[in-house]
Amino acid sequence: MYTLYHHILCPFSRKIRFLLAQKEIHFELIKESFWERRKEFIAINTMGTVPVIFDDHNHHVISGSSVIVEYIEEKHDDSPNYLGDSLLKRAEARKIQMWFDEKFYNEVSKHILKERYFNRFLANRSAPNPETMRLAKYNLNIHLNYLEFLLENRQYLAGDQISIADFAAAGHISTLDYFG
């Protein structure tokens, strides 16, 4: 059994929830408001970020969504593998996962989350900055065109089988969908 420290609007946390659910691994969720930097949370993850998974079996704490993916895939090698079954398939799945978790996040998700959630509800309660929102939407269209390009010749983002790339995409896109 695992305990997953997450935030419902964190695309990285969503990716891990999708992976665990798809692998039919039971886990308990603990909502973490990571910006509060709770002393107890910092004690288990000095980076102060989510997601963090606690493996109840061996009492290990794993942080960082890509690291958690690797840990779960290696530990549960008897269940479906969402990294890929060959060197090239794993490379492609990791590349697209990284594309979402770095490029898409930095050009789209981060700005929408900041403007629509953190600034509006947690910080200064200001209205979203229209220029930032316009830029994020412009970038979103470029990224959606890339997704369309990938899916023209593939059933899933990284190939013919669902992979961690699809879970990363779902995590980011479902977070954006929450804000309309």
Side-chain angles (χ1 to χ4, degrees):
M1 174 86 159
Y2 295 97
T3 303
L4 178 63
Y5 293 83
H6 77 112
H7 190 272
I8 194 162
L9 294 177
C10 169
F12 309 105
S13 296
R14 287 178 178 227
K15 174 177 68 173
I16 300 304
R17 292 196 319 263
F18 294 147
L19 174 67
L20 293 171
Q22 194 69 25
K23 288 176 104 39
E24 298 181 358
I25 296 173
H26 298 287
F27 59 99
E28 174 189 355
L29 287 173
I30 295 181
K31 182 181 174 193
E32 186 60 45
S33 299
F34 57 92
W35 57 89
E36 293 175 355
R37 302 194 56 81
R38 280 185 323 110
K39 187 168 61 173
E40 298 81 9
F41 182 63
I42 297 298
I44 64 169
N45 179 22
T46 56
M47 292 190 310
T49 59
V50 291
V52 174
I53 200 162
F54 178 77
D55 188 335
D56 298 338
H57 176 71
N58 58 22
H59 305 286
H60 287 137
V61 175
I62 313 297
S63 61
S65 69
S66 296
V67 178
I68 293 170
V69 167
E70 300 285 339
Y71 180 83
I72 295 296
E73 287 295 348
E74 286 184 31
K75 185 168 181 195
H76 297 274
D77 60 356
D78 56 332
S79 62
N81 182 325
Y82 294 105
L83 284 175
D85 57 7
S86 73
L87 181 64
L88 288 176
K89 288 179 183 178
R90 287 190 297 275
E92 185 69 5
R94 286 177 175 127
K95 177 186 84 174
I96 296 171
Q97 173 190 222
M98 189 167 69
W99 181 77
F100 269 98
D101 288 350
E102 292 182 15
K103 188 166 180 59
F104 190 95
Y105 177 76
N106 286 315
E107 294 180 2
V108 180
S109 301
K110 176 173 72 173
H111 301 296
I112 303 285
L113 283 167
K114 181 178 181 254
E115 295 298 325
R116 288 296 209 64
Y117 183 69
F118 288 105
N119 282 357
R120 193 166 200 182
F121 297 109
L122 301 178
N124 54 15
R125 300 188 183 275
S126 63
N129 178 316
E131 185 56 34
T132 302
M133 294 299 292
R134 206 173 1 268
L135 179 61
K137 288 179 182 178
Y138 174 80
N139 290 339
L140 175 61
N141 285 328
I142 292 170
H143 290 282
L144 291 177
N145 286 336
Y146 180 60
L147 290 180
E148 187 177 325
F149 167 77
L150 288 174
L151 293 170
E152 283 177 359
N153 298 307
R154 303 173 175 185
Q155 189 172 357
Y156 296 97
L157 292 178
D160 294 330
Q161 294 183 342
I162 194 166
S163 73
I164 196 61
D166 300 285
F167 301 152
H172 286 275
I173 293 170
S174 67
T175 298
L176 297 179
D177 185 55
Y178 179 84
F179 295 107

